[in-house]
Amino acid sequence: MTEPTTENPYLFKTIGIIGVGLLGGSIAAAARRRKIAKTVLGAGRNPSRMRAAQQSGLLDRGTTNIAETSAQSDLVIVCTPVNQIVQFIRTVAQHSRPGTIITDVGSTKQKICEDLYGSLPEGVTFVASHPLAGSEKAGFEFADPNLFQHRPCVITPDASLPIEAVAKVKQFWEALGMHVLETSPEKHDQILAETSHLPHVVSSALAMTLTAENRKFTSTGFRDTTRIAAGDPSIWLDILLSNSEAVVHSIDKYTQSLHRLRDAIKNHDENLLRQLLEDGKKNHDALNSARPQ
Amino acid sequence: MTEPTTENPYLFKTIGIIGVGLLGGSIAAAARRRKIAKTVLGAGRNPSRMRAAQQSGLLDRGTTNIAETSAQSDLVIVCTPVNQIVQFIRTVAQHSRPGTIITDVGSTKQKICEDLYGSLPEGVTFVASHPLAGSEKAGFEFADPNLFQHRPCVITPDASLPIEAVAKVKQFWEALGMHVLETSPEKHDQILAETSHLPHVVSSALAMTLTAENRKFTSTGFRDTTRIAAGDPSIWLDILLSNSEAVVHSIDKYTQSLHRLRDAIKNHDENLLRQLLEDGKKNHDALNSARPQ
């Protein structure tokens, strides 16, 4: 592993981003701002979008050529929708030089790791990642170099991976300002079902429930609680279906909490209702101290 | 009704706020900033808190004397927790001069209106209000003169009330920057069960469900979706119990939405799941156009 030096201050000479949307674009912006890579390449499907990303200064070069982008990069970050990650990583690996490291930003990890660990060409290493940062907005126009600052990133390596490559991926996310956590792919998907996929389902169900004639009677509470329901349905469809078992389990656990509240309200059980509301408040308030800022 | 003139630019000479917390304090700050009242009085339980509110410049006078505050005010706004509103309004009405208008900020309206309409002393009029603005923060220290700007306020008068008094209360909320909606107390409680009380229950249930060891794996989505769960449990206890029937009905309707999502995920029904997520997104996105800004 080459450590950055005064002569070569960059963690990577060249990074390549496959899929330059909100997340990919924000990685490009942050990598540039923080001088993590000397050259930032991007590849995507739409030639005019890629030209626009290059012209905006976000990328040193934006093309539709994944092979070329892969061949020229020391680290490739695949930022496509979750159900396309495996195929894109296989393509990237085919065209990469030996020593290239590949990572991703997929919201579920078990299927990706099962498919890819131990099955890529010799000399190319894939280390799975999930930066817990995002937005309900879409497109590199909303790229934000501070999107990753103080947020957690989960990496899910296994024992077969070269420890230098794992360390380098960890360094990359830390250089973006993230706090890196490590767990198994299976455990990741169980945890994220509760902390990320469940909130999306809960929020979408609330947005679905609102009748049109009652919209004008909403305030900030309703709007905040349904903010994440504005996320791209195609992206969330993939995430929820790629982790369906754990998500259904979380929904069932949540339904129990909901029904404890419901029954306390129905039975006018003041003591129980107070206790439940206090538990919820404590759990929310604890979030502020759970994470290094 | 006296309209404001150049010589007397104020909508009310003196307003009195009973309960100077986040909402009462924000009304005081907004009334002062927008020159709605020449004099802003406040009354509360805790003498040192009331002195502090006066010393901070929020109130012209802060006391524990509700009788005196009521006797000197042209409009009294009762900003106490919802289960104390009726008793406070009776006390205010006892000490008010004829012609005084009383309103409130209670989150449920049916019980309050049933108790008070037609039962106050001659010459004193209560017009029930519910400004849909607030915060999970508590205390006048967080008072925000812009809290009401562009937000809806529901008033629930009945046919027995003098139309001048109703018009004056409407003018008051409009002068605070609010968009006033009018409905019956019963209808208000049914609507708000869906648009305000349900989101609180949904958010609290999500916060309750999170296990402590998973806290560090949360991101902005979880935090935003549980923001309102940080609200004061005592206040929400009263609100939920004072509208329990409609709240339980809303929870049951919500549970149906949640289970449609759950079953679509469990059955890997991609088309249905996409449709449901799109419905939720459309409903959320429509909130931005539902309200005059």
Side-chain angles (χ1 to χ4, degrees):
Chain A
M1 181 167 59
T2 317
E3 292 290 344
T5 61
T6 315
E7 284 144 75
N8 175 23
Y10 299 104
L11 188 59
F12 294 97
K13 188 163 171 291
T14 303
I15 64 170
I17 297 166
I18 312 297
V20 187
L22 185 275
L23 268 182
S26 296
I27 289 174
R32 198 176 280 289
R33 168 86 60 95
R34 291 166 175 261
K35 299 192 186 304
I36 292 166
K38 194 172 175 198
T39 304
V40 179
L41 307 178
R45 268 176 317 185
N46 185 324
S48 69
R49 297 275 303 151
M50 295 312 296
R51 269 197 304 276
Q54 178 178 325
Q55 277 160 11
S56 77
L58 200 59
L59 304 172
D60 290 301
R61 197 168 65 255
T63 72
T64 56
N65 193 331
I66 292 174
E68 190 188 274
T69 303
S70 305
Q72 295 175 353
S73 299
D74 305 299
L75 172 74
V76 179
I77 309 109
V78 175
C79 304
T80 65
V82 75
N83 65 340
Q84 299 167 23
I85 287 175
V86 169
Q87 72 183 78
F88 274 112
I89 288 177
R90 289 206 187 281
T91 306
V92 169
Q94 265 174 26
H95 297 94
S96 294
R97 295 166 305 195
T100 301
I101 300 172
I102 308 171
T103 189
D104 73 324
V105 300
S107 292
T108 57
K109 298 267 71 98
Q110 193 170 353
K111 286 185 186 173
I112 290 171
C113 294
E114 274 172 11
D115 278 1
L116 294 175
Y117 283 167
S119 86
L120 291 184
E122 188 72 22
V124 174
T125 305
F126 167 63
V127 182
S129 303
H130 178 200
L132 271 62
S135 163
E136 70 280 15
K137 292 175 190 144
F140 69 79
E141 291 83 352
F142 296 101
D144 172 7
N146 297 317
L147 189 71
F148 306 99
Q149 181 84 38
H150 303 312
R151 308 245 64 94
C153 179
V154 190
I155 61 171
T156 62
D158 79 1
S160 72
L161 303 182
I163 54 170
E164 296 82 4
V166 175
K168 200 95 190 232
V169 167
K170 192 174 174 210
Q171 273 185 292
F172 174 71
W173 296 116
E174 285 173 350
L176 260 61
M178 305 195 88
H179 170 62
V180 176
L181 302 162
E182 196 174 320
T183 181
S184 71
E186 297 73 21
K187 189 76 186 156
H188 167 278
D189 285 9
Q190 286 163 21
I191 294 170
L192 271 287
E194 181 174 300
T195 62
S196 170
H197 312 159
L198 174 63
H200 196 88
V201 172
V202 161
S203 178
S204 290
L206 182 61
M208 280 163 61
T209 306
L210 182 67
T211 46
E213 67 267 27
N214 286 351
R215 269 179 206 146
K216 60 179 184 286
F217 293 90
T218 60
S219 190
T220 47
F222 195 96
R223 200 177 289 211
D224 287 357
T225 312
T226 57
R227 180 184 66 77
I228 55 176
D232 184 335
S234 301
I235 289 177
W236 280 95
L237 181 72
D238 288 343
I239 295 171
L240 297 173
L241 292 181
S242 69
N243 195 25
S244 59
E245 203 176 317
V247 172
V248 167
H249 178 78
S250 285
I251 295 172
D252 291 344
K253 197 176 148 197
Y254 171 79
T255 304
Q256 287 176 23
S257 302
L258 185 67
H259 282 188
R260 288 179 72 199
L261 281 163
R262 177 200 183 277
D263 293 346
I265 295 166
K266 190 175 170 67
N267 302 330
H268 283 253
D269 187 338
E270 196 171 320
N271 289 334
L272 177 59
L273 183 55
R274 184 187 301 275
Q275 189 56 55
L276 298 175
L277 293 173
E278 280 173 358
D279 287 351
K281 178 175 169 55
K282 263 181 227 152
N283 255 2
H284 173 84
D285 294 349
L287 294 178
N288 295 319
S289 53
R291 178 182 304 130
Q293 290 290 329
Chain B
M1 181 166 59
T2 317
E3 292 290 344
T5 62
T6 315
E7 284 144 74
N8 175 21
Y10 299 104
L11 189 58
F12 294 97
K13 189 164 170 289
T14 303
I15 65 169
I17 296 165
I18 312 298
V20 187
L22 185 275
L23 267 183
S26 295
I27 290 174
R32 198 176 280 289
R33 168 85 61 95
R34 291 165 175 261
K35 298 191 186 307
I36 293 166
K38 195 173 173 195
T39 304
V40 179
L41 307 178
R45 270 175 318 185
N46 185 324
S48 69
R49 296 276 302 152
M50 295 312 296
R51 270 196 304 274
Q54 179 178 325
Q55 278 159 11
S56 76
L58 201 58
L59 304 172
D60 291 300
R61 198 167 65 255
T63 72
T64 57
N65 193 330
I66 291 174
E68 190 187 274
T69 302
S70 305
Q72 295 174 355
S73 299
D74 305 299
L75 172 74
V76 179
I77 308 108
V78 175
C79 304
T80 66
V82 74
N83 65 340
Q84 298 167 25
I85 287 175
V86 169
Q87 72 184 76
F88 274 111
I89 289 178
R90 290 203 187 283
T91 306
V92 169
Q94 265 173 27
H95 297 94
S96 293
R97 295 165 306 192
T100 301
I101 299 171
I102 308 171
T103 190
D104 73 324
V105 301
S107 291
T108 57
K109 298 269 69 99
Q110 193 170 353
K111 285 185 186 172
I112 290 171
C113 294
E114 273 172 12
D115 278 1
L116 294 174
Y117 284 168
S119 86
L120 291 184
E122 187 73 24
V124 175
T125 305
F126 167 63
V127 182
S129 303
H130 178 200
L132 271 63
S135 166
E136 71 280 15
K137 293 175 189 145
F140 68 79
E141 291 84 354
F142 297 101
D144 173 6
N146 297 318
L147 189 70
F148 306 100
Q149 182 84 41
H150 304 311
R151 306 245 66 93
C153 179
V154 190
I155 61 169
T156 63
D158 80 0
S160 73
L161 304 182
I163 54 170
E164 295 83 2
V166 176
K168 200 94 189 235
V169 167
K170 191 174 174 208
Q171 273 185 292
F172 174 72
W173 295 117
E174 286 173 349
L176 259 64
M178 305 195 88
H179 168 63
V180 177
L181 303 162
E182 196 174 320
T183 182
S184 71
E186 297 73 21
K187 187 76 186 158
H188 167 279
D189 284 9
Q190 286 164 22
I191 294 170
L192 272 287
E194 181 174 302
T195 62
S196 169
H197 312 159
L198 173 63
H200 197 88
V201 172
V202 161
S203 178
S204 290
L206 182 60
M208 280 163 61
T209 305
L210 182 68
T211 47
E213 67 267 26
N214 286 352
R215 270 180 206 144
K216 61 179 182 286
F217 293 89
T218 60
S219 189
T220 47
F222 194 96
R223 200 177 289 212
D224 287 358
T225 313
T226 57
R227 180 184 65 79
I228 55 175
D232 184 336
S234 301
I235 289 177
W236 279 96
L237 181 73
D238 287 344
I239 294 171
L240 298 173
L241 293 180
S242 69
N243 195 25
S244 59
E245 201 175 318
V247 172
V248 168
H249 177 78
S250 285
I251 295 173
D252 291 344
K253 196 176 148 197
Y254 172 79
T255 303
Q256 287 177 25
S257 302
L258 185 68
H259 281 189
R260 288 179 71 198
L261 281 163
R262 177 199 183 276
D263 293 346
I265 295 166
K266 190 175 169 66
N267 302 331
H268 282 252
D269 187 338
E270 194 171 322
N271 289 335
L272 177 58
L273 183 55
R274 183 187 300 275
Q275 187 57 54
L276 297 175
L277 293 173
E278 280 173 359
D279 287 351
K281 177 173 170 56
K282 264 182 223 149
N283 256 2
H284 173 85
D285 294 348
L287 294 178
N288 294 319
S289 54
R291 177 182 304 129
Q293 290 292 328

